[in-house]
Amino acid sequence: MTLARRWRSALGLAVLLAAFVPLTCAPLAAAQAVPTPTSQPTARPPEPKQAYTLPPGELAKAVALSRISDILAIVGSLWGIAFLWLLLATRASSSVESWTQRIARRPWLQGLIFFALFLIAVFLAGLPLDVIGHLASRRYGISVQGWASWLGEEGKSLGLSLLVGAPLLLFFNWMVRRWPRRFWLCAWLITLPLMLLATFAEPLVIDPLFNKFEPLQKTDPALVQQLEKVVKRTGIDIPPSRMFLMKASTKTNGINAYVTGFGPSKRIVVWDTTINRIPDNEILFIFGHETGHYVLHHIAKGLTLAGAGLFFVYWGCAVFAGWLARRFGPRWGATGLASRTGFVVLLLTLSLAGFLLEPVSNAVSRHFEHQADIYGQEAIHGIVPNPQKTVVAAFNALGRAWLSNPHPNPFFQFWLGSHPSIQQRATFAEHYDPWKNGGHGKYFMH
Ligand SMILES: [Zn+2]
């Protein structure tokens, strides 16, 4: 589920350029997977009670919603790739490139116009799927955000991508012109500091454009006092100035908390929907889980892994795009990779790599999430009477709030699951008690 799904933005940046091309549907990204078809033998032994269950009415909804969101996610990725290919194959890209050369004299201005139009086209191509995603999210009672507000946010995203994305694409395109053979290495070198900068700036510049944040200390001092118990037990200094409350209730019924930022901007954010909905003990676990991401340096580790992986991604994409440009360039009107249209060929290979590598980044993400679950459960040991019960209850509340499917389809879970399924997480928590028989935790000795 979406506890701390934001730290993943570090991994999401893995294919920085491809990040400007995603057509997946964010609103439903939280829910997962299609039900496994169950055969119904007549004399089946009773199933053991599962750790995460939903009442029948909600179960049917969760199954339907997960089917929609899985299909949207996969179709969105494939459509994103297909759309770039269409831009090339129909020669739309090369026509626009020639047009910019006719209307503007300076190459940088031609490039800026070209990439701005490119980003608008990509945005419009993805809009119908985004609309379906928001429709479904509203229909199933997850989102309560009105269409005007939703469209406003879409517009802001587009504005942001034009403001930052167009110059960035132009800059990377310039690198291909400047270093036709080694551009991928230069691009890689420049991507690393850009990733750091983006992660640092996200909570300070980007997030406030879309949501309201307040210091938790100001809005909920009683909760901060509770959380201090967990902070004290972890022995790690997370000052209250790094705890924020996000006003999510105007947009969603979902509950969530996450860790974001880097260095001085690193922080823990709790949605206001979480606070009034579930008992304090369960909030302590959620906070413990987030603390786990925080103290186990998952953002920094994610960035490091992404940076290392990107070296090979850029190299591979440069080789593959070079081949594509030689083989199909004349048909697509791409005169080498350094042209604007040639750069679209590069973006096509990057978005293909991004899609194919999704299971890899999600596997890393699931590993981090599992670590944070362990950390969170150990962190509340000795503070709440029965950590196993508390954590199982927290996952049930979380699953119910997001209508998470208790039996996600294994393939979609493998490909799209940034977190282990709620069922896996609740089942693990139910049986996790390292202190039993005089043992100790993985992260806590006492
Ligand atoms: Zn997490």
Side-chain angles (χ1 to χ4, degrees):
M1 227 47 263
T2 56
L3 288 182
R5 73 172 225 258
R6 278 308 191 80
W7 70 262
R8 265 192 87 237
S9 58
L11 284 175
L13 280 166
V15 182
L16 186 80
L17 288 176
F20 292 105
V21 192
L23 292 168
T24 49
C25 295
L28 282 172
Q32 292 145 357
V34 165
T36 329
T38 45
S39 54
Q40 298 268 344
T42 39
R44 195 168 48 160
E47 274 180 19
K49 179 155 168 30
Q50 289 181 306
Y52 166 52
T53 51
L54 281 174
E58 287 179 36
L59 179 65
K61 277 199 219 164
V63 168
L65 182 61
S66 71
R67 188 170 293 161
I68 295 169
S69 52
D70 285 343
I71 291 172
L72 278 179
I74 295 282
V75 168
S77 295
L78 294 177
W79 167 232
I81 295 163
F83 182 70
L84 294 187
W85 176 80
L86 276 174
L87 286 182
L88 294 166
T90 59
R91 295 178 76 103
S93 175
S94 69
S95 303
V96 173
E97 184 178 0
S98 321
W99 177 72
T100 58
Q101 284 162 355
R102 284 200 301 275
I103 62 157
R105 192 175 304 159
R106 296 180 190 283
W108 65 265
L109 190 58
Q110 296 166 358
L112 215 51
I113 297 170
F114 178 87
F115 288 119
L117 289 174
F118 169 79
L119 288 170
I120 292 172
V122 167
F123 169 80
L124 291 177
L127 198 57
L129 288 172
D130 285 354
V131 169
I132 296 171
H134 189 59
L135 258 175
S137 184
R138 274 170 60 96
R139 168 127 190 250
Y140 286 91
I142 308 284
S143 172
V144 291
Q145 189 179 17
W147 285 98
S149 155
W150 182 83
L151 265 175
E153 289 196 345
E154 290 281 304
K156 268 191 236 174
S157 304
L158 175 64
L160 207 63
S161 105
L162 290 176
L163 205 68
V164 182
L168 211 57
L169 290 175
L170 181 68
F171 177 54
F172 277 96
N173 186 197
W174 172 81
M175 269 190 262
V176 185
R177 294 176 173 217
R178 180 73 184 72
W179 298 285
R181 288 179 63 82
R182 293 277 170 264
F183 68 87
W184 62 272
L185 192 61
C186 310
W188 179 70
L189 286 173
I190 203 78
T191 299
L192 299 181
L194 276 178
M195 272 162 56
L196 274 186
L197 184 71
T199 312
F200 175 77
E202 193 186 348
L204 303 179
V205 184
I206 313 284
D207 293 344
L209 290 176
F210 296 91
N211 290 295
K212 243 182 98 183
F213 297 85
E214 278 177 339
L216 197 55
Q217 178 78 48
K218 195 178 126 203
T219 49
D220 214 325
L223 179 67
V224 172
Q225 246 178 17
Q226 289 266 12
L227 299 179
E228 286 293 337
K229 289 191 218 161
V230 177
V231 172
K232 211 170 151 201
R233 177 163 157 73
T234 61
I236 284 132
D237 186 34
I238 304 177
S241 63
R242 289 188 176 231
M243 301 175 191
F244 289 84
L245 183 83
M246 189 187 109
K247 203 155 172 48
S249 51
T250 50
K251 295 188 203 167
T252 179
N253 286 319
I255 57 180
N256 196 14
Y258 62 90
V259 169
T260 181
F262 188 79
S265 75
K266 188 165 148 181
R267 63 197 53 204
I268 290 179
V269 178
V270 185
W271 286 10
D272 63 343
T273 41
T274 315
I275 282 166
N276 301 317
R277 189 96 58 82
I278 61 176
D280 277 0
N281 282 351
E282 293 169 32
I283 295 179
L284 291 189
F285 162 69
I286 293 179
F287 182 75
H289 170 104
E290 300 313 322
T291 309
H293 286 307
Y294 192 102
V295 304
L296 301 173
H297 306 293
H298 284 163
I299 290 182
K301 286 178 186 168
L303 280 173
T304 309
L305 281 172
L310 214 49
F311 180 87
F312 298 100
V313 170
Y314 277 10
W315 172 75
C317 285
V319 173
F320 184 40
W323 178 81
L324 280 177
R326 281 193 301 280
R327 174 80 176 72
F328 299 101
R331 204 181 301 170
W332 292 345
T335 50
L337 281 187
S339 68
R340 313 292 180 206
T341 299
F343 196 73
V344 175
V345 178
L346 259 173
L347 291 174
L348 170 68
T349 60
L350 279 167
S351 68
L352 188 65
F355 174 65
L356 294 176
L357 288 173
E358 221 172 311
V360 179
S361 78
N362 278 329
V364 174
S365 170
R366 286 195 297 269
H367 172 70
F368 286 162
E369 293 302 334
H370 182 58
Q371 283 188 327
D373 279 348
I374 294 177
Y375 189 97
Q377 191 162 341
E378 292 183 3
I380 57 171
H381 172 79
I383 295 176
V384 309
N386 185 336
Q388 288 119 287
K389 240 185 177 159
T390 298
V391 177
V392 170
F395 282 135
N396 274 274
L398 199 62
R400 206 165 169 169
W402 289 104
L403 280 181
S404 181
N405 188 348
H407 311 287
N409 175 290
F411 171 75
F412 286 119
Q413 173 60 24
F414 160 75
W415 202 281
L416 303 168
S418 61
H419 292 59
S421 74
I422 291 280
Q423 192 67 269
Q424 287 167 327
R425 298 172 79 182
T427 306
F428 176 84
E430 192 178 29
H431 300 108
Y432 186 63
D433 182 11
W435 281 275
K436 195 170 55 185
N437 308 324
H440 61 75
K442 188 174 172 193
Y443 303 107
F444 294 81
M445 289 303 131
H446 54 283

